[in-house]
Amino acid sequence: ATAAGTTAERVALHSLHQHNAPLVDAAVQALLPDIAVVDVVAAEKALQDVAASLATALKSPQPVTHLATGEAEVTAVASNRRVQVVDGKVGKMRGSASKDPELRALPEGLVDPALKTISFWNGERKLAALHYYATHPMSYYGDGMVSCDFAGIAREQRTREDGVPHLYFTGCGGNVAAGKYNDGSPANRPVLAGRIHDAMVASEANAKRIPLTHIAWRQIPVVLLPDPEFPEERMLKVMRNPAVTTSQRITAALRVGFIHRREPIPFTALHLGDEVCLVHLPGESFVEYQLYAQAQRPGGFVATASYGDGITGYIPLERSFQEGGYEPTQAYAAPESETVMKQTLSQLLQQLP
C-alpha cells in the first residue's frame, strides 16, 4: 500500500496456495521460536520485491479504454474433495492427488467448471489478462522445490504466446482439488497445465469486448469470530508442548494468532462498469461462496479470487463442521462465518448507485 501511495484496504494481494511454497506468518514464528516456521529474511525480501515491482509499474501507467471478458469450461481438472458423505459425515477424501481407484471413481462433485478471463485494453492494444479458476493449484508436492505448478505453467505459456502479462488467481478452491484426475505423478503436471492452458485460450476466444466507462472500489471491514471449540488456553498448551507433532503446534499457534487478531479483514470488490466485478476474499473459502457471489449478479461477469488474508485458514460452510472431514480441523473462524460471508458478498456485489 505504501508503494502504491494508498491505504491497505485498497490493496488485494493473493497467493496461489501451492503446498510447496513456505508458510509465512511472522506472528506464528514469534510464538514458536524453537521451530523454523519461516525464513524471516527471505519472507521480508519477498514483500519488498512485490512493493518494488509495484512502485516500478506505477512510473509508467497505461490508460485502459476497454475490457474483454470471457469464460470457458475446464475439462478434467477440478473435483470436490467432500463427495463421500455417509449418514451426514464425510468419509475418505481425495486431495490434490489420489492413487485410490475407488476415490477417483467417485463423482466429480460440486465445482465451478468455468475459467474466467478479463483483459485490459488501450484502444486496440492489449495490456494484460487476468485468469480465475477454483481448485487447489498443485499436482504433486513435498519435494521441497517451490514451483508455480500446473496453473503457473499455463499462465507462463500464455504470456509467451501473447506478449503481454497474464496473471492467475485461485478462486474459492478450499474444498476443490485435482484428486479425481491426478495420480500425483510428475508426468501428470504438464497434462493438467495443458487443460488449463486450453481453457485460457478458449475463454479469450469467446471474449466480449466493452468500453470501460467507470471504476469503483468497494471494501467492507469484516470480523470473523474464532471457533469456540478451540479456546485459547487449550491451544496455548498444545503450542507449548514439545511432545506433540510440529504440525499440531503450528496449527495451535495459528489459532492463537487468529484469536488475537485485532483489526477486521477487508473484503473488497473492484467494479468495472456496470457488468464486471472482481471480488477478493480471504482464506481457503469453499467453492459455494464463489457460486453464491455469481448468483448475486445474474447476467453479469463476476470473478472471485480467494486466498487473500490467510489468517482464517479454511472457511467452510456451517454444515461442514457437523459433516467433519479435514477442512474444519484447519478452519479458525466460527461455523457461523458462513452467514457473515454471504451477507458481505451480497453487499459487495450490489449494483453501483
Side-chain angles (χ1 to χ4, degrees):
T2 301
T6 186
T7 54
E9 67 272 10
R10 297 184 68 85
V11 174
L13 183 63
H14 295 259
S15 74
L16 297 188
H17 192 66
Q18 292 95 338
H19 285 186
N20 261 7
L23 173 71
V24 178
D25 193 316
V28 168
Q29 185 63 78
L31 289 168
L32 296 171
D34 59 318
I35 297 175
V37 179
V38 61
D39 183 333
V40 177
V41 174
E44 179 61 27
K45 181 180 184 300
L47 289 173
Q48 294 303 324
D49 286 349
V50 171
S53 295
L54 178 56
T56 299
L58 288 173
K59 292 177 181 177
S60 54
Q62 302 294 311
V64 176
T65 62
H66 292 77
L67 309 171
T69 60
E71 63 181 79
E73 184 171 334
V74 179
T75 302
V77 175
S79 59
N80 201 286
R81 305 198 301 193
R82 301 170 63 85
V83 290
Q84 193 177 68
V85 180
V86 180
D87 296 328
K89 298 293 182 181
V90 172
K92 288 181 68 176
M93 298 174 63
R94 58 191 178 206
S96 294
S98 177
K99 298 184 184 297
D100 186 332
E102 291 185 9
L103 286 177
R104 295 187 69 178
L106 291 172
E108 186 176 81
L110 181 68
V111 301
D112 183 349
L115 180 144
K116 296 195 170 190
T117 301
I118 176 169
S119 55
F120 298 91
W121 296 72
N122 180 8
E124 297 302 313
R125 185 162 68 91
K126 186 177 179 181
L127 302 174
L130 279 57
H131 305 278
Y132 298 76
Y133 181 60
T135 188
H136 271 65
M138 77 281 296
S139 53
Y140 64 89
Y141 54 93
D143 57 4
M145 298 298 292
V146 177
S147 165
C148 63
D149 214 292
F150 65 83
I153 292 171
R155 176 201 66 210
E156 291 301 295
Q157 184 176 347
R158 286 299 295 131
T159 294
R160 290 192 301 271
E161 293 167 344
D162 210 20
V164 301
H166 283 247
L167 286 73
Y168 179 93
F169 292 88
T170 300
C172 296
N175 53 343
V176 178
K180 179 174 174 62
Y181 305 106
N182 178 39
D183 61 4
S185 66
N188 211 42
R189 178 175 285 176
V191 174
L192 295 170
R195 293 169 184 168
I196 295 292
H197 172 267
D198 289 348
M200 288 177 171
V201 172
S203 69
E204 293 208 78
N206 298 327
K208 172 187 175 184
R209 184 177 157 97
I210 56 173
L212 177 58
T213 55
H214 52 278
I215 300 174
W217 181 267
R218 184 174 285 164
Q219 73 92 14
I220 299 173
V222 176
V223 175
L224 298 177
L225 298 177
D227 189 343
E229 290 295 313
F230 299 89
E232 181 179 3
E233 184 178 355
R234 180 156 60 88
M235 292 301 96
L236 286 170
K237 289 180 180 178
V238 174
M239 187 186 78
R240 294 166 178 165
N241 184 357
V244 303
T245 66
T246 297
S247 62
Q248 288 174 314
R249 294 181 66 196
I250 291 173
T251 295
L254 287 164
R255 289 192 182 279
V256 171
F258 184 75
I259 292 168
H260 287 180
R261 176 90 182 209
R262 291 291 178 262
E263 66 276 1
I265 299 170
F267 284 45
T268 65
L270 176 61
H271 291 257
L272 300 166
D274 295 323
E275 298 182 29
V276 178
C277 189
L278 309 181
V279 180
H280 312 107
L281 298 181
E284 296 198 63
S285 302
F286 272 25
V287 71
E288 283 88 346
Y289 294 114
Q290 177 166 315
L291 298 172
Y292 180 86
Q294 293 168 10
Q296 305 311 296
R297 297 286 289 272
F301 183 90
V302 177
T304 306
S306 196
Y307 296 89
D309 193 322
I311 200 170
T312 63
Y314 283 95
I315 309 181
L317 306 178
E318 186 166 358
R319 71 169 188 268
S320 309
F321 292 83
Q322 284 75 49
E323 292 173 343
Y326 172 69
E327 296 92 350
T329 70
Q330 301 294 316
Y332 310 140
E336 296 79 12
S337 298
E338 178 183 352
T339 299
V340 179
M341 292 279 289
K342 289 182 174 178
Q343 288 174 345
T344 305
L345 282 168
S346 295
Q347 294 174 51
L348 284 173
L349 286 154
Q350 287 176 2
Q351 290 281 3
L352 296 172

